Amino acid sequence: MYLIGLTGGIASGKSTVAKRLASWGAVGIDADQLAREVVEPGTPGLAAIAAEFGDTILLADGTLNRPALGAIIFSDASRRERLNAITHPAVRRLTRDRVAAASAVDSHAIVVYDVPLLAEAIAGGLVTFDLIVVVHADAVTRIKRMVDLRGLTREEAAHRISAQASDADRLALADVVIDNNGTVEATLAQVDALWTRVRADEARTVEESDGTRTPWSARRG
């Protein structure tokens, strides 16, 4: 199995890149989707969130009121840390399960783990990536996208950007950077080139004597 860690700031275009890779045959695992699963009605995660933040973050049908919760955590770093302490361990468990399941189905699968908090995943020993891809767009572009496409105010958009890792921190992790400041066509062309590169790399990858894979970032020199 070849595991790609895909990350990027909010509104950077990460989903566009993930979808393109999936269209080429990659197995996608979306950390945001896993985060939704661990707070579905009846889960321990949702119960813990309601206990921490109050019943006002629940809708009438018992589901999570995401805008209400977002208004709290994106303006208060300490509350955001409390939420992360509730949800992240559960997401990590699901991630390991999904990666293992993909490998069990096809030991040569190319898996894309789409995750905003990639640095945290690495630091926590969640998984070992063969390649780290960062989708990059500047803050001005990202704020405009959130205002135009998501209906946020400029202040709300700026809060969401400041709540995440800095561009410099993300780019420092990158083996490959997809520049998404331009047209969709330009971005997809970069993704297609990346796929060709990954397929070639996966094909020539050899297992070390102890059975572990040497990440591409360690072999590229």
Side-chain angles (χ1 to χ4, degrees):
M1 186 189 69
Y2 190 100
L3 184 58
I4 299 172
L6 175 66
T7 195
I10 187 170
S12 62
K14 195 160 48 66
S15 295
T16 297
V17 173
K19 289 176 182 176
R20 186 67 163 194
L21 290 170
S23 76
W24 281 114
V27 177
I29 300 174
D30 184 347
D32 286 338
Q33 175 58 39
L34 300 186
R36 287 189 285 272
E37 291 182 28
V38 301
V39 295
E40 290 178 347
T43 60
L46 184 58
I49 290 171
E52 174 69 27
F53 295 94
D55 289 341
T56 57
I57 56 85
L58 297 178
L59 296 171
D61 63 359
T63 58
L64 183 63
N65 186 333
R66 295 182 182 280
L69 182 60
I72 296 171
I73 65 167
F74 284 115
S75 61
D76 187 331
S78 65
R79 304 302 298 278
R80 187 165 62 250
E81 289 173 1
R82 284 295 307 131
L83 177 66
N84 291 344
I86 293 169
T87 60
H88 287 186
V91 171
R92 291 189 185 104
R93 287 192 294 272
L94 268 184
T95 298
R96 292 189 183 97
D97 290 347
R98 300 293 166 83
V99 170
S103 181
V105 170
D106 180 3
S107 62
H108 297 289
I110 296 174
V111 179
V112 177
Y113 183 43
D114 179 350
V115 54
L117 302 177
L118 182 67
E120 288 83 346
I122 294 171
L126 178 61
V127 286
T128 300
F129 297 105
D130 293 289
L131 189 73
I132 295 175
V133 178
V134 174
V135 184
H136 177 68
D138 60 49
V140 172
T141 299
R142 291 158 58 200
I143 288 173
K144 185 175 187 304
R145 288 172 182 166
M146 283 187 275
V147 171
D148 293 348
L149 303 177
R150 305 187 186 187
L152 299 180
T153 66
R154 293 186 64 82
E155 182 180 11
E156 289 170 334
H159 271 310
R160 281 157 172 73
I161 288 177
S162 64
Q164 295 187 323
S166 69
D167 288 343
D169 288 343
R170 270 189 298 270
L171 292 171
L173 299 172
D175 294 315
V176 175
V177 177
I178 301 292
D179 183 350
N180 194 28
N181 284 297
T183 64
V184 173
E185 290 76 17
T187 298
L188 295 181
Q190 294 174 73
V191 180
D192 293 348
L194 169 65
W195 180 255
T196 299
R197 181 181 190 173
V198 166
R199 286 294 303 273
D201 185 57
E202 201 281 334
R204 68 172 177 265
T205 296
V206 295
E207 299 298 325
E208 295 181 341
S209 59
D210 63 356
T212 61
R213 182 192 298 273
T214 302
W216 176 87
S217 56
R219 301 194 304 270
R220 58 181 172 172

